[in-house]
Every structure is written in structure tokens, then in C-alpha cells.
Amino acid sequence: MPPSFATCPFCGLLCDDLVVTPGPAGLLAAGGACERARVEFSALGAASPSPRVRGRAAGLDEALDEAARLLGAARRPAIGGLDVDVGAMRAILPLAQRLGAVIDHSGSFAKYRNLHVVQESGLITTTFAEVRNRADVVVLVGDGWTKRFPRFVERMLVPAPVFAGDGGRRFVLLNPADRSALPADAECLELAVPMAELPVLAGTLAALAAGRPVSLDRAVTALGGSASDGLAERLARCVDWLREARYGVLVWSAADLEFPHAELAVQALARMLRVLNEKTRFAGLPLAGVDGDLTANAVQTWRAGLPLPASYANGTVDFDPHRHALPGRLARGECDLLLWVSNLGTKPVPVVDGVPTIVLGRADRTFDAAPDVYLPVATPGVDAPGHLLRGDKVITLFLKPVRSGSLPTAAAMIEALAARLEPATC
Amino acid sequence: MSGLRLSLRARPPARVDGSALLPEKLQGQTLDAIRRIALPGWNEFHEVGELFEVSGEATDRLQIDQLDGSFDRLGALATAGTLVLRGQAGDLVGEGLRGASIEIEGAAGDYLGCGMRRGRIEVRGNAGHFAGSGRAGELQGMSGGTLLVRGDVGDRAADRMRRGLLLVEGDAGDYLASRMLAGTVVLLGRAAGNAGYLMRRGTVVLDQRPAQMLPTFNANGRQDLLAIQLLLRSLGGEGPRFSRLAARAGGFERWLGDLAASGQGELLVSF
Amino acid sequence: MAESLTVSGVPVENTFAEAFGMRATRIVITADSLRWARAAAVAATGFATSVIACGCEAGIEQELDTSQTPDGRPGVSILIFGMSAKDLQKQVERRVGQCILTCPTTAAFGGIARDAAKEWLAMGGALRYFGDGYQISKLVGGKRYWRLPVMDGEFLCEERTATMKAIGGGNFLILARDRASAVAATERAVEAMTPLWNVILPFPGGVVRSGSKVGSRYRALIASTNDAYCPTLVGLVKTALPAGVNAVLEIVIDGLDVPSIALAMREGIRAACEGGEDAGVFGITAGNYGGKLGPHHFRLHEVLA
Amino acid sequence: MLTRIAGGRVIDPANGVNDVIRDLYVRDGVIVDAPRDGERIDRTIDAAGMIVMAGAIDLHTHIGGGKVNIARALLPEFDRLDPMPAHGVCEPCTGGAAPSTLATGYRYAAMGYTACFEPAMLPVNARQAHMEMGDTPIVDKGAYALLGNDDFFLQLLASGAEQREIDDYVAWTLHATQAAGIKVVNAGGISAFKFNARSLDVDGEHPHYRVTPRQVLGALTRAIDGLGVPHPLHVHGSNLGVPGNADSTLATIDAAEGRRIHLTHLQFHSYGTEGDRKFSSAAQRIAEKVNASPNVSVDVGQILFGQTVTCSGDSMMQHRNARHARPAKWVVMDIECDAGCGVVPFRYRDRDFVNALQWAIGLELFLLVRDPWRVFLTTDHPNGGPFWSYPHLIKLLMDRSFRNEVLSRLHPEAATSSTLASLEREYSLYEIAIMTRAAPARILGLADRGHLGPGAAADIVVYEPHSDPEVQFTAPRYVFKDGTVVAERGEIKAVTAGSIHVVKPEFDRGIERKLDDWFRRHHTQSLASFKISDEEVCVCGRAPKLVTHACTHRG
């Protein structure tokens, strides 16, 4: 009998070739598992948590009662985290509506760097299998993706592009990328300028790709280079490669773009893609899907018609990345309760003085400051079935549990919570 | 001073949408009726009378005093009358303005005058980020009217601006006039980084040399253009600092860009 | 009731000039110097004597000093008259495009006050495509301008110019002893009328010698020479020339309103009659078609009252 | 519980009933025979004087799948203009150019629609499509899986595979994606675009596989017939929106060689090149061909004036049309060696010649195609206009003077460039019932929907007659979904969950060996991950049940 493969929920690649078995210390992930997957499965395997009320172990009913009491008393609750699967999100949204909550994903600030560009200019994009089979020129921005998407190179960039003709695949590394992540024999052009200069670099490439008269000398100076370091020649060569590509792909991960107004740099690159597509094919691949960011946004978007961050206050739904962003709402002291739901990851829960916090979290999570209520929930793909959107946005995969656990799902927990609330009055 | 006067006396627990407080809507109502108007907060509605001392007479002039930044969208979509705001106005003041005059005798929050189409907003103090821009997710920013900030503006002022006039006496943050589509910005202070990023058309007059000039703007030499003279002359009424700019002779150093976009914008720098 | 009126002893016939409703626009041309504003204005108002064959009637209205122009440069205002806004649109486009756009340093502005505006004509708005995509639109003080890149910089042109209701065909005829006297009289008249606002004299030098009557023996022509006033036909046709009159010249006036035309006629007639019969001027009359064709009747005696 | 709907004027074309006064009985969500004497009737709904029809079925409406969600995210400005606050049993959501799934379910149900079919489900995106449909409350759902641009199919075809193998692949796709039919979009063109081709006509060669769209259409229509799939191959033709594409459309019909074929949003494919503007109506030519070809059915894809957003799998043509985007933002995607998508917002303007003529062409098609069993009422929602404009569209079909009055307000050349003004036909209520109920159920093979005979699901709409059809069809007096009153006078009274409709033709599972190899060599997920089980699709689709409709071998 062939091994039953597991699908890894811990990054946007959703690799479905893992073999996960019970080991002496937790779950043992093998098969295609990367280091990150091994660590995550192992950590989850070891934990056997119980609900907690203000740090003290409590029965499920007691913890649910307390959580329901806090929720019932809240007038301005916020729902955060959302590092969750589709099922959890489907349960969270009716609750958010019922509570009039403001709701935001923990990574939406990074996510918004791409959404911004879609909403304010549009985008040409592609998906993993197109990259794998077609891409003859791959431009990689930044290097965070090598950590966040550990098997991206192995799975998408190492296999030969069968539809690309005989030329093989060439790489351009924008910003200080990790050359060693790529195959050693890969033809590779490095434009190693600091990440903060990406807006200038992106604008320069977009202008050059459009055939506009940009002074390479001035560009090099603006990028902090010098006449002798060959940057001007590499810029020119890069543009040649972009224009010669039969099917080029530009890869970035919005979470890497940790500088203010990074969405503008993405927009410059989006413009470059538009220009290149007048003559050849060149598509973007905004790598995402970590921590359920795409999933949470997609479910919110299809149910409400508007993405995150959103407010369900006053019986309406409103999208405003500025006013409804959770960090801002918390910092301004506007929320009187924080419900944090995260069944996939273990990002820290914000602690705000005087704001009661309920956490529906992974079994192995720990806290610097104990929340008022902690309700451990099953992790989809480990203890429970679930669905997640993959990092290229189009594919949703089923997460089959690798063990039969006793933890309730986040969705079930939310429904239990909702059942304890007073009937909605509106 | 004539008109209606609201003076904040209680801070709401969360931001309140103040867009119902328009002179054109309140005009002619009794003070009691005005006190009963409910403003939407977060899951609760606050009566004007609970939050404000209400006095005077509801004419086409409304003054709101003691603002503390917790009211958003004041003057949004106003078409007529005068709204005077004192203290710290919140975000989205004058959003989508269609004709009224808003005077802020204090400072404004973010998204001041975003999407405004007509009318005039004048701020004595500073304005936050995205002044004269557009609502998040939409293609166009401010598309008409005059937005005058005597103090500084934050980042991304005039982002996606399509028409109209943004005048700033102080400094501007990063990405002034980013993605500008058309319209006019005049900045007397200094622009921080990346002014004009991805601007497609439009005019930005800078009375001081910006921190840096993007390599995707090309020098067009010194140009003394009639259109710019005409433009600056038209600002004579906006104060002596603008008159002085209009009176200076010899044109400007002109830069064209952003070549990463369609490249037909102009940055005009005093020399 | 043949009430008699003389000016400087010259008899003025008790008749009227018959004028028609027209549409007009004023364009203010500025330039770095008056020389180039004038050059553009002369070209733009050239070949515009009669609406019948030229498409419009046009002329220079005034020269403007730097305090009188929108951009503080010297300028010239011109008036263009047509039978309809549609006709004017065509002429404005052609004349501004060929004569102002082309002329060094110039700019063109609409010159009709907004409250008098009847219809709007595209000016810069029609010419902007000459910029081949590099044209820039700019809104200043509520008016839209187009900036077209040209070889000496930019041609600045207001997007539109307004039309207003106007009057064409104000006129008077000078009956003189001989050609020299007639010419001298018209020169005096034109000089007196030149400083006046709101009017132009569309014919060459302000004067027309080919007065016309309606109709012709040739079917294709709708007008032909005014034989009753032609001295060389005296004895052949029924003449309108008093004895001793051997030359007649006419001054035609187009204007934006009735008072401006009336004023121009008065100033012109007075100047023409200066020196009286000694100067060879024997009479003043006016052209009309019996009052059936034009709604505006400028009675000479009333104009001079 | 037994419910009687008493005394209504029943219009049920599937059973040949035209405006007959009779009672309907409903038990456990199903229409049943009249009870024997003495049997207790628990509830009687008085429908006297009212018109009773089966629930309406939309066989082509983009209600789910990634492209619609991209459209939702792309255009927040129109959601802001169309808020739907919490109301009664309804959660807050938004409508707009690309409405939320909640708004879609509420508005369809309120209007008397009880089943909706998503026509462009990308196989790789099938889970998400089912999820979005699952979050579309009340109405039943089904979807057509997209084939004909996927590399597996194209290499099969290019390698000269036997038809049997293609049949197996088509059947496998229906099973694996839980679909109710197969659609092809710009046959081969989406794939060709990935190889940088910018157009591909019916007999053009794919730049890589060297096959033609005609071959693709031939193979797929053969497969559909061979497998006995009730719904004909659903075809979005070549050259969408291009002046002169009527020739491609006629060639597409010929490519079916007499086999069943459904041409979707035909309006966008009926353009000529006559006149000064090189854009004209070819509706007459197309309609004649359709009338003469009993194997052909069509839906119109009527455009209506206003803001909309076009969501299509046709990345090739959407990229080409993107320059007309309004607002000027758009998304084009290449997708996973499977297909593509393009999302381009449009504003159709009545004073624009092209838009006005498009409007007229759609109506010409409605009126010139004679058989109401073969022409369906669609706007290709949201592409030509939102589905909630159907009542207005019905009025345009039923009322000639209204139609001509609207025509007179459009760009004047729309009237002179089309025959619309001279067309006298007015649809009857009976014909409307055919085209919106009986015919879609028949062409989809839905035995238990679209009619009011015993055994049918109790999806029933009761209308108050009104002289203005738009008023009548906007807010029916009662809408029953599976026997539950879900809406009254346009207001939602109960939020229920609809079923999923699928077909599962028999096939040789040996095809999976070849597919497994293909997945290993080219895909980025395993064959096992790709397939959606019956149990899973009910979770994704939040469906109380999966309704499998029979396939009958014809081949």
C-alpha cells in the first residue's frame, strides 16, 4: 500500500508530499518535509494542552463560559490573528457580524502591499505550475522568500521548464538575495542594492523596460553604486533579459518589503509587467499564503464583498486598511476585547493593558502574558481536516489530518462560544 | 460670531463618524433637534447633545471647537456653507468635498480632503499623511478644488491626484505627488524622499530643492513657462509667501518624469 | 417729414443702416512683445472681410498694454464674427491654429466675460492634438488651458472661448466729390473709430468700395455691385448719386452690441464730415434692404443725435 | 407537513401547462400529488389571481471561483456604493460590480431564482469555486469545468490520442472537480497566449501544440456526446468582442459537426465589420444559423448600461480588451497549465455607439432566435450587467414599445445599424417561463427542477401579476426553496442552503495512470490532492446534498 501523503499547512507552498508519523517526541515529518515543517509537526505532536482561564488550567465548559461572558460584555471587540483555515474563517465571520467586531489578519499589513496594487492599478500574475514549466527568466526580489517558502526553489525552479524551448532558465536577483539558494550552475545576474532602494530600482527597471531614456549613471548613483562596480552594465543586461524572455516571472514576497510605502515599489514592478506584456509574456508571482493570510482574506472577500481589514460595527461591513487596521485600533485604545484566533501558527498575541483577551490557539502555543481565556484548538492538517489557499492564490488544498486528535476545531469552538452568547438582538 | 457652535465636552470611547455635522444639513434646525442627532460610533450612536455644548444659531456656518482627533469624516461630501474646525480634526476631513469651505484652525489627521472634487479646505497647522489623495483601493485622488495647508503635510500628499490645487507652506513627507495623474501642487517647504514617484502627469512646484531627485526624472533645463507664471500669479491671494514665489523671475529648473510611468509630469524647482 | 440734418454742413440722409444678428467671439493674443502679438492678430484676422466668402468677419479690436492682459504681456484683442456658433467654431480652430499657434511667443485667451457667454467654442481644446500626446492641460483660476510644446517653448491656449450675440453690418456711406476726397474722409473716420471697444471694421483698412446690392443678373450670384452708387454708371442706370458726387466709399462695422455700433457710426460720421463740403464730402447715407432682412436698424439721425 | 398553494395561475411549460388555475401541494420539500380526501393540509397559501412558476434557473452566471473574488477585491469603490446592512435574517454584505456571495444568494432568491450555474470553474480552482458557491445561500448550485486550454488535454490531442482516452479524461475531470458540465473558453487560445500568441481563430494553429480550436471543439463535443453528459459542450467562442467575430462563431458551430453545442454569451460573438466604424450587428446571420441548427443552444449575455466588471477565463482576449478598462485597472492571470483569467471592469454607456449597438445585438438575438427552448436569458453576470437587472431585461423582451423607447434614447446609430426597431416579437409569459425554467432544467438534465409536476423539488415562485413585467419579476409574492418560504415581496425570510448538482459519467479509471505521471512531471500538487471527493465537496459547498444527474450514453 502506498504511503498516505500529508499536506503541510505551514507555508504558502502547501507541499503535499510529506509523510508524517507519530515519533517518540511528537510527530515526525519526513518525505518532502523541509526543516520548518519538521519543527512545526514535532512541536505540535508533543503538546497536550487544556483550556486555561487567566493562566490556570480549566475545564472546557468553564473556559467557554468565561470567554462567552467576556464576549457578551464587550461593546467594541476586535478579532485578530486569523491565522486559520477556511472552516474557521467561515465560523468567525458570522460571529464578527453578530458582535459588530473589527476584524483583521495579523499579516494584513504585508498582504496589503499587494492588494493595494491590485486595487489601485491591477496586476498580471501567474501560478506555480506555470513557473515550473514555462519560466525562462525568473526575477527574484529580496531573500525573505527563501526562508518563508523553503522549498520554492526545489519544487518550482529546479525542474526544467519544458515549454521554454532549449534555452533553460536564467535568474535575476534584485536586492541582496541569497545566491546559494539557487542551483549552482544557474545563469544568474545579481543587482544587489539595499532593500530600501527597491522603489528606485523598480522604477528604473520599469522605465528602461518601456524604452525610456533613463541615465544609467544617475540610476547607479541613486542606487548607491559607483561607476566602477558594473551596476550600470548589469542594469542594462537585466533589461535585455526582461525583454528577451519568452515567459518571464517576477517573484516577490510582500512580507520582505519592510519599508514604508513598499506598495509603490510593487506598483512600479506591476507597471513594468504591463509594459513587457505588450511584446512578450512576463507575469508576477506575489508569493504569499503564509499564516493563512490569503485564506482569511479570500473568505472575507467572497462573503462580504470587501477584503480585510474590515469593520462589522453597526450592522454594516466596511473596508478601510487605514482606520480598521487592528494595530491602530488597539493602539488608540478603542477596543474593549481582543479575540485572537490562530489554529495554524504561533505569532505573538498583542497585549494591551486593560483589554481582556481570548485566544483560540494552537495546542503548543505559549504566552508571555497569559490571556484571560486560552482555548486550544485543532490544527488543520494535523488534528483536523481543513482547507487552505496556496501561495499563488488560485489553488485551495484539502488538509487531511495526520492523526486523530481530541481537540475541537476552531470552527466548532467558535460555534460553541456563539451558542453561549445571548440571542442576537438585532 | 454668528452661526452654530459645537464645543466638545466628552471624548467618545472610539472614533466617531462626524459626517452628519454639515452646515447645509443643520441649517435651520433647532438646537434641540441638533442635540438629538445621533452620530455613529462603534456599535453605539452618540447624540450630539451628549458630546457637545451646542449654542448659537444654525446658519450656513458651523464651528466645532475643542476637537481631539476622535471625529472622522467631518465635512465629508459637503456642498455648501462654511465649516470651522478648531483643535485636532480627525481623519478624512472633507472627504469627497463638493463645494463647501472648511477652515481648520488647528491640525488635520490623515486623508485630509481625500477625493475632494470642489470647494476649499484651509488648515492653519499640519496635516497628516495622504492629504489630497484618494480613498484606499480607488484609482483617483483629489479631483478639484483647493487644499491649502499652512503647516506641513505627511507622506503621500497628492497621491493619485487628478485635478485641483494642493498648496503647502511647510514641508512635505516622502512620496509627495506619488502616482499623480494631473493637477497642481505647490510646496514652499522641502520635500522629503522620492517626490513624484510614478507620477504620470501634473505639475509640482518646489520652492526648495528636494532631498533627492529620482533617476527616472530627466532634467529639462531652465524653463520660464507662461503657464506656470499664470498659475503662480493666480495664487497671489493665498498669502505673501505665495506672492513672493509668483514674483520671482527667471523660471524654474524643470524635471520631467516619472519615466517609470508615462513620464509627462513636471517637477519645477526654484534655483 | 424730410427733417434735415447736417454734420459740419454735410447733409446726412434720413435713412438707416440695416444690420444682422451674428455670433462673435473675442480672442486675446499676447506675446513677448507687441510686435508678435500684432503679427499674429493681423494674420488671424486676415481674409475675413465678408462672412459670405471668408467664413467669418474679423478684425483687430484693440492693442492691449501689460495691465490689460491675463498674463501681463502686451497683447491684441481680436473679434471674430460668424453667422452661427458652428461656423465660428471652424474659423476659430483654423485661425488660431494657423495664425496664433504658429507665431513666435504668442498665447491665446478667451476674451468674453463669463456672464455674457452664450455658447462655448473649443479653442485649445480643439488644437491640443497638435501636441501629439505631449500636450498638458492645466486649470488656473477656474479656467482650463492647454500647453502645447512648440519649438520656442510652449504655446499656451485657453481651452475654450465664448461666443456672444453680436451684430454685423452697421455701415455708412460717404458721398464725395472725387476719389481723393472720399479716401481722405474714410481715413479720418477709421482713425476716429480705431480706439473704440467692441467693434471692428472688417474691410481692408476699414473701408469697402464694392458696395453691393442683393441679387444679380447672373443666377449663380446672390449679390452684385451696387450700380446705383457707381459713378461710372451714371447715365446708364437709375443712379442714387446726387449731382457732383463722383466717388462713394462705405465703412462697415461689426460690433458686440447696439450702443457700441451706434457710437462707432457717430464717431466715424463726424470724423468723415470734418471740413465739410470744402473737404469734398457732400453727403452721408447708409445701406439697407428696405428693413426686411435685418432686425437692427441704425437710423443715422438717431445715431447722431 | 403538507402545504397547499391554492388557486394560482400555473405556468409550467415542462408539463405543457399554460396559465391553468390549480392547486399545488408540497410535502418535505417536494411537490406531491393532490392528497386523498380527508388528509390534513397543514398550511394553505392563497395564490388566487397570482402566477405560479417553478423557481428560475440561471445557467450561466459567474458566482464563484477565483476570478470573481479578484473582481470583488479589485473594486471596493462600487461595494461602497451598494452596501447591504444586516437586515432580518441577512448578514451585512455588499453588492456592487462583483457582489459578495451573500448578496448573490439573497438577491437571486428574492427575485425567484432557485438554482445558479457557475460556467467557468477552473479544475485547479474547483475547491474555491465550490466554497464560494457554498457561501452563496439559498440557491442550488452547479458548475461547468473548464477544459480545452489545459496542457494535458492539448498534448493528448496533439499526440493523436484516441477519442476514448479524451472521453475518459473529460469524465475524470467531471468527477474530480464535481462539475455539472464542461465548458471551453477560447479553445486553445488561453494556452496560446502563454506562448505569446495574441489571437487564435477557429482554424488557427496553436503555436506549440499545432492543434486548432476546431480540433479542440471536435474532440470535446464528441466526448460530451459519447459520455452522455446532459449539458452540451458549453462554448465561449474565439475572438470574444472582436469586430467581425461572427465568422468565428459560424465556424464554431460548424466545428461541432451536428453534435450538441451551447454557445454562451452569444452577443459578444455576433459582430460584423460593416459601416464607417467597422463595427456592425451580425445578429441576423447568427440567428439564422442557430435557427437552422437544432443541435445548437445559446445564451445571450445581454449587456445593460452601467458599471460592471468582466470576469473571464479568456486571458488572451481580456488582455487585449484591457485598454478599455474603466476604471483603468485590471488583472490578468495565467493559471497552472490549466487555464487563465482576466478581470476587466467596464462601464457600458448608452451614448456610446459600440455599447449601444452591443445592447441592440443582444436583443436582436433574443428576438430572432425563434425557439425559446434554445435561447436563455443571461447577462453573463456580471460581465454584461448584474443579474438583478433580469426583470428589466424581461420587460425589454415582453414590451416592444418600451424596448423601442429605450432604443430611441441611445446613441442614434445603434438603431440604424441594427434591425431591432423593426422587430415586432414580444415574449409571452409562457415563453419567459420556458427560457428561465423549463429549458435550462432540460438542457442541464435536471430532472427534478424547472417544473411543477409531482416529484419536482418544491422550488416555486408566486408572482403578483402586474402590467409592468419589471415590477412583477423584481419582487415575487412568495419564493419557495425546497418547500421553505425563503422570500416574500423581495425580502428574505429564511436563509437555507442549496444543493450541488453534478454529473458523473462512467469512464475507465485507467486514465489516472497517465494523469498521475503528468501530475508528477508538471504539476505542483499530486493527483490525489487535486481530486475532490463527494464528502469534501459537500463540506466546501455547505450542501445538504449532492444531486447527481443521469448521463445517458448516446455514442
Side-chain angles (χ1 to χ4, degrees), chain A residues 16 90 127 130 247 387, chain D residues 194 329 334 336 529 536 540:
Chain A
D16 60 355
R90 279 175 154 181
T127 67
E130 305 290 6
Y247 194 95
H387 287 98
Chain D
K194 296 173 188 175
K329 50 179 171 179
D334 298 320
E336 207 64 2
S529 293
E536 194 198 344
C540 291

Side-chain angles (χ1 to χ4, degrees), chain D residues 339-402:
Chain D
C341 87
V343 178
V344 182
F346 273 102
R347 189 140 60 230
Y348 291 111
R349 292 175 301 138
D350 56 4
R351 305 299 298 170
D352 177 90
F353 166 70
V354 170
N355 297 164
L357 189 54
Q358 287 179 300
W359 179 90
I361 291 169
L363 292 174
E364 282 184 294
L365 290 169
F366 271 118
L367 299 168
L368 290 169
V369 173
R370 283 195 294 270
D371 181 0
W373 291 89
R374 292 200 284 127
V375 57
F376 300 94
L377 186 108
T378 65
T379 57
D380 191 17
H381 165 85
N383 294 355
F387 65 79
W388 52 87
S389 54
Y390 287 175
H392 171 78
L393 179 51
I394 289 172
K395 183 177 183 180
L396 289 169
L397 298 180
M398 293 184 73
D399 183 342
R400 185 190 177 208
S401 62
F402 173 67

Side-chain angles (χ1 to χ4, degrees), chain C residues 8 39 55 59 64 74 82 88 92 103 135 141 149 164 180 184 214 219 221 229 235 239 249 257 291 298 303:
Chain C
S8 304
L64 308 171
L88 268 182
V92 162
C103 179
Q135 66 271 28
M164 57 186 289
V214 178
R219 207 179 297 165
L221 294 184
Y229 286 91
T239 189
L249 288 172
D257 53 39
F298 294 91
V303 161

Side-chain angles (χ1 to χ4, degrees), chain A residues 5 7 13-16 86-87 90-91 93-95 97 115 117-130 132-134 155-156 159 162-164 246-247 274 276-283 297-299 301-307 312 314-321 386-390 392-398 415 426, chain D residues 66 69-70 72-77 79-80 83-88 90-95 98-103 122 124-128 130-135 151 190-191 193-198 208-209 319 328-339 518-527 529-530 536 539-542:
Chain A
F5 291 105
T7 300
L13 299 181
L14 298 185
C15 302
D16 60 355
V86 171
R90 279 175 154 181
L93 292 176
L95 180 70
Q97 177 253 317
L115 183 60
V117 175
V118 168
Q119 291 183 335
E120 294 171 16
S121 83
L123 204 51
I124 298 169
T125 63
T126 191
T127 67
F128 292 161
E130 305 290 6
R132 172 179 173 169
N133 294 301
R134 241 176 266 281
R155 294 189 55 209
M156 317 305 168
V162 291
F163 298 132
R246 294 165 66 160
Y247 194 95
R274 268 198 200 184
L276 290 169
N277 276 284
E278 287 167 13
K279 296 274 163 56
T280 184
R281 292 306 321 279
F282 217 110
N297 247 293
V299 179
T301 302
W302 77 56
R303 283 182 60 94
L306 288 166
Y312 281 91
N314 307 329
T316 61
V317 56
D318 182 42
F319 158 74
D320 189 332
H387 287 98
L388 271 182
L389 262 72
R390 205 172 71 173
D392 51 5
K393 223 176 162 180
V394 180
I395 287 89
T396 301
L397 290 187
F398 176 60
E415 274 148 25
C426 57
Chain D
N69 226 28
I70 290 169
R72 295 184 187 110
L74 182 71
L75 299 164
E77 53 269 62
D79 297 284
R80 287 166 177 157
M84 294 175 68
H87 180 70
C90 299
E91 292 179 48
C93 57
T94 58
S100 64
T101 58
L102 295 178
L122 273 53
V124 294
N125 185 238
R127 274 190 186 83
Q128 185 179 341
H130 282 295
M131 286 172 174
E132 292 184 33
M133 290 190 283
D135 277 328
D151 286 285
I190 301 171
S191 168
F193 181 52
K194 296 173 188 175
F195 293 93
N196 204 22
R198 302 305 167 118
H208 180 75
Y209 294 106
H319 182 259
K329 50 179 171 179
W330 46 271
V331 173
V332 165
M333 272 187 105
D334 298 320
I335 297 175
E336 207 64 2
C337 296
D338 191 44
W518 176 266
F519 268 74
R520 280 172 206 284
R521 283 191 296 118
H522 299 294
H523 264 280
T524 53
Q525 59 178 307
S526 68
L527 182 74
S529 293
F530 183 90
E536 194 198 344
V539 172
C540 291
R542 298 186 139 184

Side-chain angles (χ1 to χ4, degrees), chain B residues 19-38:
Chain B
S19 58
L21 299 177
L22 295 183
E24 67 201 77
K25 278 197 190 160
L26 304 190
Q27 188 164 11
Q29 294 199 40
T30 65
L31 296 193
D32 273 345
I34 290 166
R35 287 190 187 98
R36 284 196 302 274
I37 291 172

Side-chain angles (χ1 to χ4, degrees), chain A residues 309-335:
Chain A
S311 161
Y312 281 91
N314 307 329
T316 61
V317 56
D318 182 42
F319 158 74
D320 189 332
H322 177 70
R323 283 185 301 159
H324 303 322
L326 195 53
R329 288 278 189 182
L330 288 171
R332 289 193 299 266
E334 294 184 296
C335 313

Side-chain angles (χ1 to χ4, degrees), chain C residues 70-123:
Chain C
D71 62 1
R73 300 192 299 169
V76 174
S77 70
I78 63 172
L79 298 177
I80 306 178
F81 292 74
M83 294 314 293
S84 67
K86 203 174 150 198
D87 292 347
L88 268 182
Q89 175 65 60
K90 243 181 275 170
Q91 293 295 325
V92 162
E93 216 170 299
R94 285 182 190 169
R95 287 167 189 271
V96 178
Q98 297 305 313
C99 308
I100 307 179
L101 162 65
T102 53
C103 179
T105 81
T106 59
F109 302 86
I112 302 286
R114 200 169 283 210
D115 50 10
K118 188 82 185 155
E119 297 104 342
W120 292 94
L121 308 176
M123 188 163 64

